Amino acid sequence: MWLLPLVNQFAAGLLVLPTAWAAAIAIEAQSPLSNTTLVHLEGFPHPNPTKSYWQDPPHRIANLRSTPDLPTDQAFDYVIIGSGMSGAATAFKLLTRDPSLSVLMLEARAAASGASGRNGGHCKTGDYKKIQEWVALYGEDEALKVAKLEQDCVNDVRDFVRGHNVSSGWQDVETADVYYTQEAFEEAAKVVEFQRELAARRPDDVPQGNARTVYRGQEARDYWQWPEILGAVTYPGHTQNPYLTVCAMLELGLEKGLNLQTHTMALQLTQVSGPSATGASTTRWEVRTDRGTVQGTKIVLATNGFTPALHPGFASTHFLEPVRNQAAAVHPSADTTHNPVFIKRSQGYSDFPGGSGDYIVARQPGDVGAGDVIYGGGQGLSPTRESNITDDSVVNERIADYLHGIGRRVVADWTGIICHTPDGLPVVGEVPGEEGVWASVCMNGHGMAWAFRSAEALVEMMMEGEAPGWFPEPFRAERAWENSGRG
């Protein structure tokens, strides 16, 4: 069905579309589940995204609908919108705590088709280099909560993969932030000294097991075998196929009773009231989709960069900014699978000419695509830095040319929509003034190190009524409204 009935109503003057749908409706593709025409609405997930390297071939649950028809006659305990890491982890954790819960998940496209299935394959504590900024902004106690959450989240994902024997190519590697300018490197070295001072003074409060090592000048070039760099900061990291990790999480949720409905676009949330089993009035929510309307007591937004299109309140704050990221998989002319230095390392570039945030991840021996190299970044080549874009059906050709420079043979190009906040931190918690609407969104391109642990905090808030003691205040959802207009 998709949006075709809505298009017909709109054409007949029977339907007024929300403000967020400002763009004209455009016919784009065919549904993988039928011959129905797919439609794209600006700001919402594009029905025909680029094919991610990780999603080829598609997972067995890619197009799953747990029930053939959308369950419109049942009021669910939870309706989760989005099937990426945030949505999958929330469903898994809810049903692990209470298998009797009724949980419905709506996914606009194929399962795990958003940023979680489109990133570069890193899982690492890269944001710990911001610790001085966090201390200055939030104080030392809250800054350390942020730092520990990042490390604990990476550890949780590792433990999930290993504990459930997930075949997603998880590898422990040494990763590095490498530097091309002396100023940027010296600032990074000062941060490491600050981290060490914190560890000496507060050993029980700092992240555990991710100590940094600083390499300078020729020592850095020799150790990292990268002749152009002036310095490097190395620390433990991991690589994986993120799509397979998230799909494994979804499958475990399905085993516990999750109802997954792929290719079902959530379009609008409406609060309604009605009598409960005891006769008292209760609040619930309706989620209108292109296949019908479903009901839930609690709604969880796991919609990341697409959140402003669905939720006018978030859109009004201008705190959440969708950004298009791009990556390429290339196959170098030299065989990388026999180079232990190369395959056991990954790197990010904080001050590279293409723009900060560039990275390289190598596929390991035994992995599908062994010897391939994932190269991401290049946003600095875009006049807009790819901000305020939610169309992941195309690639930026200038960025593609830049990313292709690392290898002789291009395996794949793809894009994905992430979400930025002005402070670089996720938005987690209940939406102010909307009882029963919760969010874990805007992972700032760092979802593998924020989302799994954020989902744990969200589940505790929803089920226990308060956040756990380790949850950082700077993640609070309310701040989007407190800082409205500053995004």
Side-chain angles (χ1 to χ4, degrees):
M1 287 180 282
W2 275 86
L3 300 183
L4 195 55
L6 295 179
V7 176
N8 292 336
Q9 291 179 56
F10 177 69
L14 301 176
L15 175 67
V16 178
L17 296 178
T19 304
W21 302 1
I25 295 173
I27 307 267
E28 297 291 349
Q30 294 292 313
S31 167
L33 300 180
S34 69
N35 292 323
T36 306
T37 302
L38 303 182
V39 176
H40 179 221
L41 300 174
E42 185 176 340
F44 286 80
H46 197 287
N48 190 30
T50 53
K51 181 182 289 187
S52 166
Y53 172 85
W54 309 112
Q55 296 170 316
D56 187 13
H59 195 274
R60 53 184 166 268
I61 66 166
N63 300 312
L64 177 68
R65 287 176 177 172
S66 298
T67 54
D69 297 322
L70 190 68
T72 57
D73 57 352
Q74 176 183 355
F76 286 82
D77 294 318
Y78 293 87
V79 176
I80 300 171
I81 305 173
S83 69
M85 175 63 89
S86 292
T90 300
F92 172 69
K93 291 171 182 289
L94 281 170
L95 289 164
T96 297
R97 285 190 177 215
D98 186 354
S100 70
L101 291 172
S102 58
V103 182
L104 174 67
M105 179 177 287
L106 306 175
E107 168 54 55
R109 307 186 294 198
S113 60
S116 295
R118 296 177 172 277
N119 64 46
H122 263 135
C123 188
K124 63 177 186 175
T125 57
D127 274 13
Y128 189 40
K129 60 178 170 282
K130 301 176 184 177
I131 183 63
Q132 282 184 295
E133 299 173 32
W134 296 339
V135 169
L137 287 169
Y138 314 122
E140 197 168 276
D141 289 346
E142 288 299 326
L144 287 173
K145 284 185 181 181
V146 174
K148 278 187 66 72
L149 185 145
E150 182 188 33
Q151 182 64 56
D152 291 345
C153 188
V154 169
N155 292 347
D156 284 355
V157 176
R158 177 201 62 203
D159 294 345
F160 172 84
V161 169
R162 291 176 176 171
H164 293 91
N165 296 314
V166 177
S167 300
S168 57
W170 183 273
Q171 296 283 347
D172 299 331
V173 299
E174 183 180 25
T175 192
D177 299 323
V178 299
Y179 295 89
Y180 287 79
T181 63
Q182 196 66 38
E183 181 181 5
F185 171 67
E186 292 301 335
E187 285 299 315
K190 290 178 184 177
V191 171
V192 173
E193 287 302 313
F194 185 81
Q195 293 166 347
R196 290 172 178 168
E197 185 273 330
L198 274 177
R201 186 162 48 84
R202 302 187 62 171
D204 296 332
D205 299 321
V206 296
Q208 305 297 315
N210 69 351
R212 269 53 176 170
T213 301
V214 177
Y215 293 91
R216 297 176 176 275
Q218 192 61 45
E219 180 188 31
R221 292 186 283 275
D222 291 343
Y223 181 72
W224 210 252
Q225 297 188 10
W226 208 263
E228 295 88 359
I229 63 175
L230 298 180
V233 176
T234 70
Y235 51 99
H238 316 280
T239 62
Q240 62 169 336
N241 180 325
Y243 173 65
L244 295 182
T245 294
V246 173
C247 284
M249 204 172 295
L250 290 171
E251 285 194 298
L252 287 170
L254 290 165
E255 291 175 8
K256 297 175 183 292
L258 172 67
N259 186 317
L260 172 61
Q261 296 288 324
T262 64
H263 303 283
T264 304
M265 179 90 72
L267 300 169
Q268 191 173 46
L269 307 180
T270 304
Q271 189 177 32
V272 296
S273 297
S276 67
T278 62
S281 179
T282 183
T283 298
R284 70 179 189 277
W285 290 86
E286 290 183 345
V287 182
R288 184 160 60 87
T289 81
D290 52 322
R291 297 175 58 218
T293 298
V294 297
Q295 302 175 59
T297 302
K298 291 184 175 69
I299 306 299
V300 177
L301 301 177
T303 41
N304 212 30
F306 303 111
T307 305
L310 177 62
H311 193 280
F314 269 119
S316 70
T317 69
H318 302 288
F319 194 76
L320 278 60
E321 180 184 57
V323 177
R324 183 171 63 194
N325 274 10
Q326 188 161 324
V330 301
H331 201 86
S333 54
D335 182 5
T336 63
T337 59
H338 299 294
N339 183 337
V341 172
F342 189 77
I343 65 173
K344 286 298 181 183
R345 291 180 177 174
S346 67
Q347 48 264 322
Y349 305 97
S350 296
D351 59 345
F352 198 59
S356 62
D358 286 18
Y359 58 85
I360 294 178
V361 173
R363 300 299 288 148
Q364 308 291 321
D367 289 343
V368 176
D372 290 347
V373 177
I374 314 303
Y375 195 10
Q379 287 174 295
L381 300 176
S382 167
T384 65
R385 299 189 66 86
E386 301 292 87
S387 296
N388 290 309
I389 296 174
T390 56
D391 182 359
D392 55 3
S393 68
V394 296
V395 300
N396 181 313
E397 291 299 333
R398 186 179 182 190
I399 294 175
D401 289 343
Y402 164 73
L403 298 178
H404 296 174
I406 195 171
R408 291 275 183 91
R409 179 168 62 86
V410 179
V411 179
D413 288 295
W414 69 97
T415 51
I417 307 305
I418 64 168
C419 182
H420 282 173
T421 56
D423 54 23
L425 300 177
V427 173
V428 183
E430 191 168 22
V431 174
E434 297 185 12
E435 180 183 356
V437 178
W438 300 79
S440 187
V441 298
C442 222
M443 297 294 144
N444 287 272
H446 200 44
M448 288 297 154
W450 292 137
F452 197 75
R453 198 73 170 158
S454 293
E456 178 67 28
L458 188 74
V459 167
E460 189 155 335
M461 291 180 209
M462 294 189 294
M463 298 187 77
E464 306 296 336
E466 60 182 5
W470 49 261
F471 179 71
E473 282 288 309
F475 279 35
R476 294 178 308 113
E478 294 91 342
R479 76 186 196 282
W481 281 262
E482 294 166 356
N483 295 281
S484 180
R486 300 182 193 177

